[in-house]
Amino acid sequence: MDSTDKNRQSVELLLNNGCFSEAIPHLERLVSAENCTVQDMVSLACSHQQVGSYAEAIEILEQTVTAEGLIPSDTAALYERLGYCRLAMQDREGAASDFDRAVSLLEKSFRANIGLGLCMAQSGRTGEARSFFKTAISINPDCADAYNNLGVALLSQGLAREAAANLGQAVRFAPGYAKAHANLSIALEQLDQPLVACQHLLFAVRLDPAVPHSKTALTRCQDRKSTRLNSSHIPLS
């Protein structure tokens, strides 16, 4: 086994353990080698994306997407990733263009449809966003991400009941999806179901303390939980 193969083995181990920052130097050496593969470049781009180095990821993906020998579905996946990197950098127009290319190459790209929905939502075009999220769901009925984003779009239009139904599907398909639980708590609060709303918010924060949430709502939930526990306590005589 030569040094390149050993390097690839090290990279695979690091990536499998989520050590993206540590993998980047190894991948950079692989990419600079004469026997660099498309997969080496994709892995480097993905690692940069994972650590938030979106400009570096975009630069590599733009080179990779024109590589010879890629089948349409692989090219579509690269455009999807490019779109999400651009979206992270607030380049909605560029992101939408990449997602459109992905759909043109792979019509049933639910990830690209979600990306287009996010572009529309961030541009205030909520009706169009909902349409893209629904298309994603029709392609992949188990996609928690699509249900969550559709729920958020519905919430923004004051449609709490429809939002709760979709957010409920999101947590059904992905029970550990903290953002979906937090969003569901908002919808349930608006539907005057405060106790169930609190359960979802407390669970969301337990799953991910950094999940976006209202500190006021969290305090209210914690107070309700404390009150409920105290009221159920029977003093010893």
Side-chain angles (χ1 to χ4, degrees):
M1 182 183 295
D2 61 21
S3 59
T4 300
D5 289 333
K6 288 180 180 178
N7 212 1
R8 286 200 176 99
Q9 280 193 346
S10 299
V11 164
E12 185 177 357
L13 184 62
L14 289 167
L15 294 179
N16 288 340
N17 285 284
C19 303
F20 301 103
S21 295
E22 293 86 344
I24 287 173
H26 295 279
L27 284 163
E28 286 174 339
R29 285 194 290 273
L30 288 172
V31 167
S32 63
E34 289 184 6
N35 56 350
C36 164
T37 66
V38 169
Q39 186 56 54
D40 293 334
M41 295 182 71
V42 172
S43 295
L44 179 56
C46 294
S47 296
H48 277 300
Q49 182 183 8
Q50 289 292 332
V51 301
S53 303
Y54 300 112
E56 289 84 350
I58 289 170
E59 183 180 355
I60 298 163
L61 288 167
E62 285 177 336
Q63 297 173 32
T64 311
V65 80
T66 58
E68 294 182 4
L70 289 176
I71 60 175
S73 59
D74 288 343
T75 306
L78 292 174
Y79 275 119
E80 288 171 6
R81 196 169 288 278
L82 259 173
Y84 281 106
C85 287
R86 292 195 207 278
L87 201 54
M89 296 186 72
Q90 305 300 313
D91 179 9
R92 289 189 290 271
E93 185 176 340
S97 176
D98 288 327
F99 292 133
D100 276 331
R101 289 185 180 185
V103 171
S104 71
L105 289 162
L106 186 65
E107 188 178 354
K108 293 189 177 295
S109 170
F110 67 91
R111 292 185 186 86
N113 276 283
I114 292 173
L116 284 165
L118 291 172
C119 290
M120 297 302 107
Q122 292 180 17
S123 300
R125 297 156 65 179
T126 312
E128 292 171 77
R130 285 171 55 182
S131 179
F132 282 116
F133 296 142
K134 287 179 180 178
T135 299
I137 290 169
S138 71
I139 296 169
N140 182 358
D142 298 346
C143 182
D145 236 5
Y147 284 111
N148 176 65
N149 284 302
L150 178 56
V152 170
L154 290 162
L155 264 180
S156 73
Q157 294 184 309
L159 301 170
R161 192 168 302 282
E162 294 92 330
N166 282 281
L167 292 164
Q169 288 290 80
V171 300
R172 175 187 164 215
F173 289 120
Y177 195 170
K179 284 184 180 179
H181 281 285
N183 291 328
L184 180 55
S185 75
I186 296 170
L188 291 170
E189 189 78 40
Q190 292 181 12
L191 292 171
D192 199 25
Q193 298 180 39
L195 293 179
V196 186
C198 284
Q199 289 173 2
H200 283 283
L201 181 54
L202 292 169
F203 188 54
V205 174
R206 191 157 64 246
L207 286 168
D208 179 8
V211 70
H213 64 274
S214 163
K215 291 184 179 180
T216 303
L218 180 61
T219 301
R220 186 167 62 244
C221 286
Q222 290 168 334
D223 289 343
R224 282 173 179 157
K225 182 180 180 183
S226 176
T227 301
R228 191 165 66 254
L229 288 172
N230 289 336
S231 65
S232 65
H233 175 65
I234 302 175
L236 295 174
S237 57

